[in-house]
Every structure is written in structure tokens, then in C-alpha cells.
Amino acid sequence: MSESFSMNTPLTAADGVPLKTRLQQQRRMRQLKALLLVLPLALFLLLTFLVPIATLLTRSVDNPEVVSVLRETTQALKPWDGKSLPAVAVYDALSRDLQRAQAEKTVPDAAKRLNMEQSGFRSLLQKTARKIPLAPEAGQSTRDAFIALDERWGDVSHWQVIARNGSSWTPYYLMSSLDLRQGADGKPELVPEDERAFLSIFGRTLWMSFWVTVWCLALGYPLAYWLATLPTRKSNLLMILVLLPFWTSVLVRVASWIVLLQSEGLVNGALLWLGIVDAPLELAFNRTGVYIAMVHILLPFVILPAYSVMKSIPPSYMRAAISLGDHPFAAFWKIYFPQTIAGVAAGALLVFIMCIGYYITPALLGSPQEQMVSYYVAFYTNVTINWGMAAALGSLLLLATLLLYGLYSRLVGANRLSLG
Amino acid sequence: MADEVLVSFRGVQKSYDGESLIVKNLDLDIRRGEFLTLLGPSGSGKTTCLMMLAGFETPSHGEIHFDGKLLNHIPPHKRNIGMVFQNYALFPHMTVAENLAYPLTLRKMGKSEIADRVKNGLAMVRLESLGHRYPGQLSGGQQQRVALARALVFEPKLVLMDEPLGALDKQLREHMQLEIKHLHERLGVTVVYVTHDQGEALTMSDRVAVFKDGIIQQIDTASTLYESPANSFVANFIGENNTLRGEVVDLAGELCDVRLHDGALVKARRVAMLGSGEVTSMSVRPERVRLNAAAAGCENRLQARLMEFIYLGDHVRLRMEVAGQGGFIVKVPVGEVDAAWQVGDMMDVGWMARDVRALDALAA
């Protein structure tokens, strides 16, 4: 009896409101307060992080120029089979589009975009636009008039380029970033060998990043171990030395490496003076210099997470393994090292990710053979103002990073990622 | 057999900084099969002794022999001594069974033998079903049992334990004390156990070595330590103790007369080599003090003022002032408490001369 009573009658608070409702109200209030506290940061992240990334990703496939300038032409090309010359109506549409574009001064936008895919298109379009409206002679169609003006208008490939850009989205930039193009049959194919560039740049970026990471690990792991085993007072002092480079800008550090490493630099001077070498070593403006400077700059990113993980491993683990009969070296490898993997992998991942986006060190200390993807991002952004290509390269870098992170969390487990 | 020496320290000294000795001239024999506890406050050198025995510290001077061999230059991984640590030190990336198999694999045992021994090891600490778990999935008590099993599974002659129960709560600690004690009795292995908890030391040990400032103050069985402390430090460190300070006025064989500050005379056993006129600290255990009528037959009888009444369920502690010295504790079973006692009452306290020991003078 009493049981059914307690089950059927909802408990109420002192003022008669059901307890559940009251609890929910309180919980909602707490959540609201928490939300308000988080809101500024969330907005900041949205505006400075998520929106730019989203814009970057859209930019890499965005293709508004041709569609907006040659609106009627692209519309008219929709039913075209892509093999024979387009119908006269298409030429009429192009004539009208160009006339309007000439008035709106938007011809160069479309001309530049089309020129990317077929060189010479810029001059063709601008020349045609200046002559518009064409006055076809008697018995001549608009098509004949166009071809009479420039025989390239009778070439199917030029029309294919326009048709391909009939959508406001294009895979062109992304494909170009991977040395791919749309073949005549519309399927992706590799560009001719002498035009290929980006695959080898991506390969070089990954290869150099790999070696910088390996060197950082090889130098950073023993140092972190040493720091972790020292008494706190000494290790703090040394940790300041590790962090000291952070207090100067990367630019200054790279510049000082140039001073040190160039042919008449301090390092070569010392080596010559000591008689270790007869002629100055080539240390700067090649891959060696880039490796030296990048390892130096990125080393703390391996040391810090490794150190923090090692610091949390009490010495009794090694002692236990040794007391059980294991040789200290074997015990280190079997007991100590596995426990540091999470921190070391985090550091390595961090270094690798920073490497593949590195710009300033290769730009200043490397020859053209050392330039990595980010150099070309800067090149397309600042020099040729081709934001589509810059965004596409950036997106591919982002994708590479995400893939690496995915791989890492499969191997080590993301929840074990320890950045100290 | 029982008296055969397994480990001996001879003139062992240890210094970390070259200025002060953390272990001063240690001579210690550990008998085969005994449970020896090194007891002392922190910094007294007991852990350093254990680490020298394990091989993680080297003596600055002196020799350590183990089973007839000089141990000084044998590296720790060849000593074949089991060790249990306070934080268990179970390898977190290995399962319980893998942890136990670790020392066995190193000893190149066959697969089936390892499996058998791991199984027996787990059965020994009653964790048969947890072999596949990782240490992080076990409770503190379970982890410590695994650590025990791991230190015993390769059948070392000697097992060292460095405050193994320090991280456990009180109830579990008391349970584990008995468990370790029974394991020791069953296996007959020699155990050297370090702790700063005197209750733990008294419960488990065959002998206890009390350390202070790098010197063994006394090494004896638990009851001897408690009933016959050799000096004031041991008397105060082990169990509860009442100290009365006074001056020796007369020597009479085993006994001596001591004058307290208020002039009262106390007959005590002369333990320290004291001369007439020297200052002494006398030690009386609280449960040896008798009150009022019961005190009638005692050689020593004094007046005391009841200062505080502390009820503890099974007994009552009376804090009293005796001969002008406060903090004198008397334990009375609840059944013997007189309801008429009031704070401020004057009472007779008394104790037998054999129950009070005149020891070296404690710094006041």
C-alpha cells in the first residue's frame, strides 16, 4: 500500500511544485549560466577559427567568375554534346553576355579565370569583347562572324573550357594542386610530366617534415629524460634554457642561423680555423640549413610533452623491473619507454603538423628545392592573386593534418594524447 | 636454522652529500626466514638501508653480505631479491598476469611453467580471476596483492618491502598486515619491511629494528621493545609512554631512587648507566599505572590531579598532572571507572618499581 502510494504520487517541493519540475528548472538555470560564460569564447572561436576554415574550404572549390559574367552562354551550353561546335544560339548568347560584361567592366574577371585553364583565352575574350557587337555580313550567322573574328572560336576545346566552368563549383583548383586535370573525356588524368609540380612539392613537404620530426625525437627524447631525472631545481633552470628560444621571434632565430651557417659564418670559420675542413661547408641555403634551423625551432614541442609524461613516471617502475631481474637497458625499453609513448607521440605529431605548414625557415634558409607547400600558398595569395589555388593547397594541408591525427588516434588513442 | 644469518651489514655507512651520514656505522644481521621491520621516523636511514640492500644505493663504506656472498658490487638486477614498493609499481601497460610473468620470462622459464607459476602466484593472493585485468582496473588493495605476488613469484630468498601499505586506508591496511604476515609464515621467505607505523611493525614482525639518525637504537621482538625499551627514544616512539623527569639520588643494584622536581622519590629500574646526581627520564606505560585503592600495594605512590577525562568506548584515558608535570596518561578499563571522579580531583596513582625504567635524559 505504502509502496503504491510513493510510486503514484509525484514528490513535491515545499511549495507544491513537483520535485522533478523544480530540479529541471534548476538544472536549466545552471546550464544557461554556463552557456553565458562560454559564449564569448565560442563566438571568438567561431569568428577566428571556424569561419576562416569554412571560407578556406569553400574558396578552394568556389568558381563564380565565368558563371556570373557569361551567364547566358553557360546556360545555353548546358544541352551541348561537347564534341561538335555549339549551336548558333550559344554564339548569340555569348555576344549578349560580352556586351553586358563590357558595359559592367567584368570581362577581365572571366578572362583571367578562363586563361588559367587554357592560355591565350584572356586575349581572345578581351579582343572579342572590344569588337562586340559584331555585325555579321549578309547570309552569315553569328557563329561565322565569331570565327571570322578569331578562328579559335571555331575550336571545340575553347568551348569545353567555358562549358566546364558552367557551374559555380569547380574541382579545378583541388585537382591542379594534385597535378591532375580533366581530360577530354571528363575523367581526371595526370598533367604531362613537364607540367607537374605539386605532387613533388607535397612529397618534399612530407619527407622534410618526417626527417625534422625524427631529428627532434632523437635529440629531444634523451634531453627530456635527463630533465625528468634531475632534481627539480636544476631541471627548472635547464627548462628555462629550453624555452629561451621561444622568447625571440622565429624570424630572428632564422636570421641568426643564417649568420652562423653561411660560408663565411661562425661555424665555417671555426671549422676552418680548427683545420677540420679545408673549404667552407655548404650549410645555409640548402636542405642542411633548413633541417638545422627547423629542428632547433621545433625541438621544445617534443621536449615539453615528453618531459611532462616522464615526470609523472615514478622511478619505482624502473626499480621494480630491475629488482625483478631485468637489465637496466632492457627495463628502460620494456617498462619506461612504453609509458612515455603517449607524450612522445603527441610531441612528434605536433612537430610534424607544424612542419608541413612551415614557411619562413625554408623561405629564408633554403634554395628553391627546399620550398614547401606553404611557400606556394603564399605565392598564390600574394603574387598571382589566385586565391582558389592558395585555398586548395591550404585545404589539402588541412586534410593531411586531419588524416595524420586520425592515424594517431587509431594507433595511440586520442584520449591518451598528452600535450603536458 | 632459525638463527642462521642470511644478510649481514658490517660497518655500513652512507652519505649523500659528503657532509652528513644518513646511515652511521650499521651492523645488522638478518636471520634466514625472519620478518624484520626497520622502523623509524622519516629521515632516520631505514629506507636507505633497504635501498642499499636492493642495490639502488651503494654504501659509502662497509660491507653487505647476502647468503655468504659480498653484495657490494653485484648490480641490483643480479641480486635476486624481490621488492614491493609503496606505489605498487605495477607496469600499467601489462596485464596482471603479464606483470607476474615478467620476472619468470627473464629467468628463461618454459611457457607452461610460467603459466603454472602465474596461476599459483595469483592463487596465493586470492586474485585467480583477475589475471587478464590491467593494474589500473584494480583497487589499491588488489594492486598491492599483485605487487606482493610479483615479488614472490620467482621465489627469491629475500623480499624487501618499502612501506607497502602506506597508500591504503586504515581498515585495508590492517587487513593486509595480517595477510602479509600469514604469507610470510606460509612461505618461510625472509622479509625486510620498512615502515614508520609502529603499530604495523608490532603486528607483523619477528624483530623490529628502531632507527633514529642513522643508528639502530634497539633491535628486539615487539614485546621486548614495548616492555623493555632500551632508551627514551624507543620508549616514546613505540606505543604510548609517560615520562617523568628527575635526578638520581641513590643507586641500589638494579634499582635506583629518583627525586622528582617536587621532592617526591620514585623507585625505578636502572636501565641506562646512570650515576648519582644525573638527570633521568623515567618511562611508565599508561596501563601499568594503578589508581587509588589499587595503588595501595605499589612501591611508588604519588598524588595526581585529574585534568581531563577522555572516553574511548572500551577504555577511558585520564590525563593527569603528577609531581607538577602535566600530560601524564592513565588508561582505565570502562568497568573500573568510578562515576564520582571529577576533573580537578586529587587521586592516588601508583606503579611497581619494575614497571618504571630510568632511561637517558630526554631533552626537556
Side-chain angles (χ1 to χ4, degrees), chain A residues 193-256:
Chain A
E193 216 160 304
D194 53 337
E195 291 173 27
R196 283 179 210 167
F198 292 109
L199 280 184
S200 69
I201 290 166
F202 271 108
R204 176 198 302 159
T205 305
L206 295 177
W207 180 246
M208 287 175 66
S209 303
F210 170 76
W211 279 110
V212 170
T213 310
V214 167
W215 277 109
C216 279
L217 283 179
L219 296 174
Y221 192 90
L223 182 59
Y225 177 70
W226 186 52
L227 286 175
T229 50
L230 276 179
T232 315
R233 220 162 50 86
K234 282 185 193 166
S235 70
N236 281 347
L237 184 74
L238 287 165
M239 193 47 95
I240 289 175
L241 294 181
V242 169
L243 295 177
L244 203 61
F246 273 142
W247 300 352
T248 44
S249 87
V250 176
L251 188 62
V252 172
R253 277 180 273 165
V254 173
S256 39

Side-chain angles (χ1 to χ4, degrees), chain A residues 389-401:
Chain A
M389 276 307 286
L393 288 169
S395 302
L396 288 172
L397 274 184
L398 180 66
L399 183 72
T401 308

Side-chain angles (χ1 to χ4, degrees), chain B residues 48-346:
Chain B
T48 307
C49 283
L50 197 76
M51 288 301 163
M52 287 193 285
L53 192 47
F56 298 120
E57 302 288 354
T58 47
S60 312
H61 179 82
E63 292 181 345
I64 304 174
H65 291 270
F66 173 51
D67 212 11
K69 292 189 295 277
L70 180 63
L71 207 54
N72 288 41
H73 301 294
I74 300 178
H77 63 279
K78 291 192 178 148
R79 292 193 178 189
N80 209 28
I81 295 174
M83 191 149 183
V84 182
F85 296 85
Q86 182 174 8
N87 66 353
Y88 323 133
L90 295 177
F91 309 137
H93 56 296
M94 298 181 184
T95 63
V96 166
E98 284 166 352
N99 264 284
L100 256 64
Y102 190 84
L104 306 175
T105 317
L106 291 167
R107 283 164 180 76
K108 310 249 183 298
M109 290 184 185
K111 267 219 175 77
S112 59
E113 194 186 352
I114 290 180
D116 281 351
R117 286 199 181 211
V118 168
K119 207 171 132 228
N120 292 340
L122 285 173
M124 181 175 69
V125 292
R126 300 199 313 278
L127 292 174
E128 295 93 333
S129 55
L130 300 182
H132 59 282
R133 298 257 191 107
Y134 284 91
Q137 300 166 311
L138 302 182
S139 71
Q142 288 171 331
Q143 290 189 47
Q144 194 51 278
R145 299 227 288 274
V146 175
L148 270 174
R150 190 180 65 179
L152 292 166
V153 76
F154 60 100
E155 294 176 358
K157 286 181 188 150
L158 176 63
V159 176
L160 312 178
M161 302 192 188
D162 185 9
E163 308 212 15
L165 307 181
L168 302 179
D169 60 56
K170 186 169 178 287
Q171 218 171 352
L172 195 53
R173 200 159 61 221
E174 283 166 3
H175 174 78
M176 286 298 295
Q177 285 170 7
L178 290 179
E179 196 155 328
I180 293 176
K181 187 179 166 158
H182 295 155
L183 261 180
H184 166 252
E185 283 162 2
R186 215 164 71 224
L187 301 174
V189 64
T190 312
V191 176
V192 179
Y193 190 101
V194 163
T195 183
H196 60 262
D197 179 340
Q198 42 117 346
E200 204 165 287
L202 298 185
T203 310
M204 306 169 75
S205 321
D206 295 328
R207 287 196 303 160
V208 179
V210 181
F211 275 71
K212 185 202 171 207
D213 298 336
I215 294 171
I216 294 183
Q217 305 288 319
Q218 188 173 0
I219 172 162
D220 257 313
T221 60
S223 60
T224 313
L225 279 182
Y226 186 82
E227 298 296 348
S228 319
N231 58 37
S232 293
F233 175 78
V234 176
N236 283 302
F237 194 75
I238 308 271
E240 206 167 12
N241 183 48
N242 289 313
T243 302
L244 288 170
R245 287 168 61 81
E247 189 182 312
V248 180
V249 289
D250 191 23
L251 304 174
E254 273 210 346
L255 299 178
C256 60
D257 286 334
V258 178
R259 189 190 304 281
L260 301 182
H261 294 303
D262 67 345
L265 276 180
V266 172
K267 230 178 233 318
R269 275 171 67 165
R270 184 166 142 247
V271 178
M273 284 296 118
L274 295 159
S276 194
E278 279 188 80
V279 177
T280 177
S281 289
M282 290 177 293
S283 147
V284 195
R285 295 295 182 190
E287 66 277 9
R288 299 283 177 184
V289 180
R290 301 172 198 179
L291 288 171
N292 292 343
C298 298
E299 287 108 325
N300 299 305
R301 253 182 311 158
L302 296 171
Q303 282 280 297
R305 185 191 300 278
L306 180 56
M307 305 297 288
E308 197 178 358
F309 207 83
I310 305 159
Y311 179 77
L312 286 167
D314 59 335
H315 72 275
V316 170
R317 290 152 61 92
L318 306 178
R319 194 162 66 79
M320 312 187 95
E321 191 184 86
V322 174
Q325 300 178 30
F328 193 92
I329 302 288
V330 181
K331 273 190 196 171
V332 186
V334 167
E336 294 171 21
V337 174
D338 187 335
W341 291 347
Q342 294 282 325
V343 170
D345 283 359
M346 293 304 289

